[in-house]
Amino acid sequence: MTIRSNSRHGRNESRTVAVIGAGYVGLPTAATLAHFGHRVVLAERDESRLAALRSGKMPIVEAGLDDLVAESVLTRTLRFTASAVEAVQGAEFVFLCVPTPQSDDGSADLSYVESAAKEVGEQLMPGAIVVNKSTVPVGSATMVEEVIGRPDVRVVSNPEFLREGSAVQDSLHPDRLVVGADDAQAAALVGGLFAATGAPLIVTDATTSETIKYASNAFLATKLSYVNAVAGLCEVVGADVRDVMLGLGYDKRIGFEFLRPGPGWGGSCLPKDTRALLHIAREAGYDFSLLAGAIDSNEQQLVRVVAKVEAACRGSVEGVTVAVWGLTFKANTDDRRDSPSVEIAGRLAALGAVVQVFDPTVSGEFPADGETVADDLRGLQLRADPYEAATGASVVVVLTEWDEFRWVDFTRVASVMASPSIVDARNLLDPAAVRRMGFTYDGIGRR
Ligand code: NAD
């Protein structure tokens, strides 16, 4: 393995690049590469995502992405197509940014990666470099090489570490770049595409690079499970988790990031990637009980939050109206994949609660009866704002940390509720302030 300063060793030449998949990773990646001066063609087969892009709208909620895309479209360094085959014509580099969802057995489903590789394999220009940016298990670079079956084409692993909600900043200024390949020259060329970031470049073999991505996400998930477990302990011993985390965070070995307790970790990456790593470990005969514990602990956190809501409703939510504020897996994104907020809202509905939900990103058509049409939100009642969601409710449950929930008029909320009570699963609100307004308040690990 080598670690280099990418700005010194990288190249700044303009390259031709194809990006396959215009999702939460592919779109920021394509826009960033175009911003750096490369000529990028982005292929997206989903008609609605492609139509949005072509009409200048962003198909995902991501701060600053519209400006970055618009700038590159204007300078003609970025264009869109429905066809991956068309995108790879003349491309020196082809980034695969397609989904790798969880299979039934917990392993990563590589069918999108495999079919994209098959689709473009014969069309790649001689000497092209294919880059696995999708999160893929150990051995995937070799798998893609075999699917393409061309000795002149090299496959490089380049995992992505951006966070939804700050994807543009993370893409322009990554903490580090990881490139894994058996061919050092190919790795250097891929690193060179991102030279303008100036980020440290870790060059290693493909297996190590693939392991780095899963190990990073599993570490973050484990850290959150630990924080949530400590919050549970704080409740039992009467400590305040926020001060406990302050005390931990100032220790440079621990740091402040990922120290906020919540309703459980979720999103499109941590759950599937931790399970995929556990699967990899099991297949390899390695007992990774620490990671299994982190996953179990996360399930317990969901259960704990539901129990808090039941307690706020005197033991049962059956027939009780419950207001849920927030559905996305975190604030500043529209992503609800594997969202703990959706999961908890669904569990409350399954227990017989009438669940009235509001999220700033869930808007559009509100059917007359408030019933949603989205599959993951079935059984929940959509409302147009936090006050409507709270109307007639016995408890407000804050499940996503949208900043706007801090600035709600709580006197008005109290006046429309059946009884003013809050379960704050993000520790977003000031307990003393809402208690002064007559609410009962229960957060996570705090008094
Ligand atoms: P996504 O579902 O938002 O986007 C994938 C896109 O690829 C979709 O729009 C889909 O229509 C398109 N697509 C699939 N096959 C295609 C094909 N053959 N041709 C053209 N388009 C095709 O997924 P995502 O969140 O961007 O994740 C992509 C990968 O990146 C996954 O492996 C994920 O684990 C990884 N990752 C995601 C994040 C994140 O925060 N979302 C962060 C790091 C890594």
Side-chain angles (χ1 to χ4, degrees):
M1 182 193 74
T2 57
I3 303 176
R4 304 175 191 165
S5 156
N6 202 14
S7 50
R8 270 196 299 119
H9 296 276
R11 300 186 187 180
N12 277 312
E13 294 163 37
S14 172
R15 301 291 200 163
T16 49
V17 179
V19 176
I20 315 297
Y24 290 89
V25 165
L27 186 48
T29 299
T32 303
L33 287 167
H35 175 77
F36 293 155
H38 304 297
R39 284 149 290 147
V40 182
V41 183
L42 174 56
E44 174 52 60
R45 68 178 184 191
D46 179 282
E47 285 175 16
S48 63
R49 277 191 169 177
L50 184 65
L53 285 170
R54 283 185 164 150
S55 66
K57 296 197 184 91
M58 291 304 102
I60 56 172
V61 171
E62 198 60 67
L65 190 60
D66 45 358
D67 288 343
L68 200 68
V69 169
E71 165 208 285
S72 303
V73 169
L74 204 68
T75 55
R76 298 179 185 220
T77 48
L78 176 62
R79 66 183 177 85
F80 312 111
T81 172
S83 156
V85 167
E86 191 203 315
V88 304
Q89 303 303 316
E92 299 164 275
F93 299 87
V94 176
F95 282 76
L96 302 182
C97 300
V98 297
T100 48
Q102 189 181 306
S103 304
D104 291 342
D105 64 358
S107 64
D109 172 357
L110 292 176
S111 58
Y112 293 91
V113 174
E114 202 178 331
S115 87
K118 255 190 210 136
E119 195 179 342
V120 299
E122 282 182 13
Q123 303 294 324
L124 295 167
M125 69 178 241
I129 295 176
V130 174
V131 185
N132 272 349
K133 208 171 226 338
S134 296
T135 303
V136 287
V138 169
S140 297
T142 310
M143 180 277 275
V144 170
E145 252 160 27
E146 284 168 4
V147 168
I148 292 171
R150 284 182 40 183
D152 64 319
V153 170
R154 290 162 292 175
V155 177
V156 171
S157 159
N158 171 225
E160 180 54 57
F161 300 96
L162 64 76
R163 297 160 299 172
E164 289 179 24
S166 53
V168 170
Q169 281 310 306
D170 291 348
S171 300
L172 293 173
H173 309 288
D175 292 342
R176 80 303 206 183
L177 296 157
V178 175
V179 180
D182 299 331
D183 180 329
Q185 192 213 10
L189 286 169
V190 172
L193 292 172
F194 301 95
T197 64
L201 173 65
I202 298 168
V203 179
T204 184
D205 59 89
T207 300
T208 306
S209 169
E210 290 159 348
T211 304
I212 287 171
K213 174 61 193 175
Y214 279 118
S216 297
N217 273 359
F219 181 80
L220 293 172
T222 305
K223 192 172 181 187
L224 287 175
S225 278
Y226 180 77
V227 168
N228 285 335
V230 170
L233 179 72
C234 285
E235 289 178 9
V236 181
V237 300
D240 187 318
V241 74
R242 291 199 320 164
D243 290 349
V244 170
M245 291 307 152
L246 204 61
L248 262 68
Y250 273 109
D251 186 326
K252 291 190 186 69
R253 294 168 300 177
I254 298 173
F256 282 106
E257 298 288 329
F258 269 62
L259 280 194
R260 287 186 65 144
W265 39 266
S268 68
C269 292
L270 296 193
K272 80 171 173 67
D273 293 350
T274 45
R275 289 196 182 90
L277 186 58
L278 197 58
H279 182 86
I280 290 168
R282 279 196 186 125
E283 291 282 292
Y286 179 75
D287 178 12
F288 204 157
S289 53
L290 175 68
L291 191 54
I295 294 170
D296 282 353
S297 174
N298 199 44
E299 168 57 26
Q300 286 166 31
Q301 189 67 3
L302 300 171
V303 171
R304 266 198 292 270
V305 173
V306 170
K308 280 174 181 288
V309 180
E310 289 182 306
C313 299
R314 297 181 189 182
S316 169
V317 293
E318 195 173 356
V320 177
T321 300
V322 172
V324 160
W325 289 359
L327 290 168
T328 52
F329 83 97
K330 64 173 179 177
N332 306 320
T333 176
D334 58 341
D335 199 348
R336 299 197 307 268
R337 289 178 288 181
D338 257 327
S339 168
S341 311
V342 173
E343 177 65 27
I344 289 168
R347 289 187 190 197
L348 293 170
L351 288 168
V354 177
V355 185
Q356 301 182 162
V357 299
F358 168 72
D359 185 281
T361 64
V362 179
S363 57
E365 303 94 66
F366 285 81
D369 60 358
E371 273 283 354
T372 174
V373 282
D375 274 352
D376 63 332
L377 304 183
R378 272 192 207 293
L380 310 178
Q381 303 281 315
L382 285 182
R383 293 294 182 259
D385 60 45
Y387 307 102
E388 277 195 18
T391 300
S394 296
V395 59
V396 165
V397 192
V398 181
L399 288 178
T400 307
E401 73 283 21
W402 288 102
D403 195 51
E404 66 184 79
F405 295 153
R406 290 177 208 268
W407 312 111
V408 162
D409 175 352
F410 282 96
T411 311
R412 185 173 157 202
V413 173
S415 74
V416 297
M417 291 183 73
S419 59
S421 173
I422 293 174
V423 170
D424 181 2
R426 296 283 183 171
N427 288 352
L428 188 73
L429 309 175
D430 177 352
V434 291
R435 281 185 184 128
R436 270 197 305 275
M437 286 178 236
F439 285 89
T440 62
Y441 175 92
D442 190 13
I444 306 283
R446 69 202 293 205
R447 294 187 290 267

